[in-house]
Amino acid sequence: MYDDDEEDEQSERSNELKKKVIERAKKEFVAGCYDAYEMLSTKGKEAIDGTNPKEIQKAINRMMALFVINEEYERCQFLKSFADKHMPGFEITPDNNVQKELSL
């Protein structure tokens, strides 16, 4: 059996590992948003051709939330105009979960 010190040390290592995994996931999410934005802005409609519309809509909603949080309103405007032009009927709704996920 572990003594209390060993259990505390193991718990601390486990918590550190969890924090690192969460931080890495946040960084990957942010990088992915900027990569996706770059694709949309350079390839236009071609970037979404042949993809699942629901998945693209979800991604745009999450990207929009990130850009609002970061006060990157030019990127927000681009996403809105992109959706208006290439995704008729789709109303962007920033995903409120992004704020929660990034503040963990």
Side-chain angles (χ1 to χ4, degrees), residues 44-55:
K45 179 148 175 55
E46 182 182 319
I48 63 170
D49 285 343
T51 60
N52 179 331
K54 293 289 182 200
E55 291 299 316

Side-chain angles (χ1 to χ4, degrees), residues 8-70:
D8 289 345
E9 191 175 312
Q10 188 168 5
S11 177
E12 192 174 309
R13 280 191 300 238
S14 177
N15 288 337
E16 269 306 305
L17 182 59
K18 286 178 190 175
K19 286 179 188 176
K20 286 180 182 179
V21 168
I22 289 169
E23 283 305 311
R24 184 174 182 167
K26 287 180 193 179
K27 287 179 182 178
E28 288 176 2
F29 166 71
V30 171
C33 285
Y34 286 99
D35 289 346
Y37 176 87
E38 187 66 26
M39 261 185 31
L40 294 176
S41 66
T42 58
K43 295 186 177 186
K45 179 148 175 55
E46 182 182 319
I48 63 170
D49 285 343
T51 60
N52 179 331
K54 293 289 182 200
E55 291 299 316
I56 295 298
Q57 291 170 0
K58 180 180 176 182
I60 288 175
N61 286 336
R62 291 180 59 76
M63 289 168 49
M64 181 67 89
L66 175 68
F67 298 149
V68 168
I69 291 165
N70 290 341

Side-chain angles (χ1 to χ4, degrees), residues 1-11:
M1 294 226 76
Y2 292 111
D3 64 15
D4 288 342
D5 289 340
E6 288 177 12
E7 285 182 24
D8 289 345
E9 191 175 312
Q10 188 168 5
S11 177

Side-chain angles (χ1 to χ4, degrees), residues 65 80 89:
K80 181 174 179 352

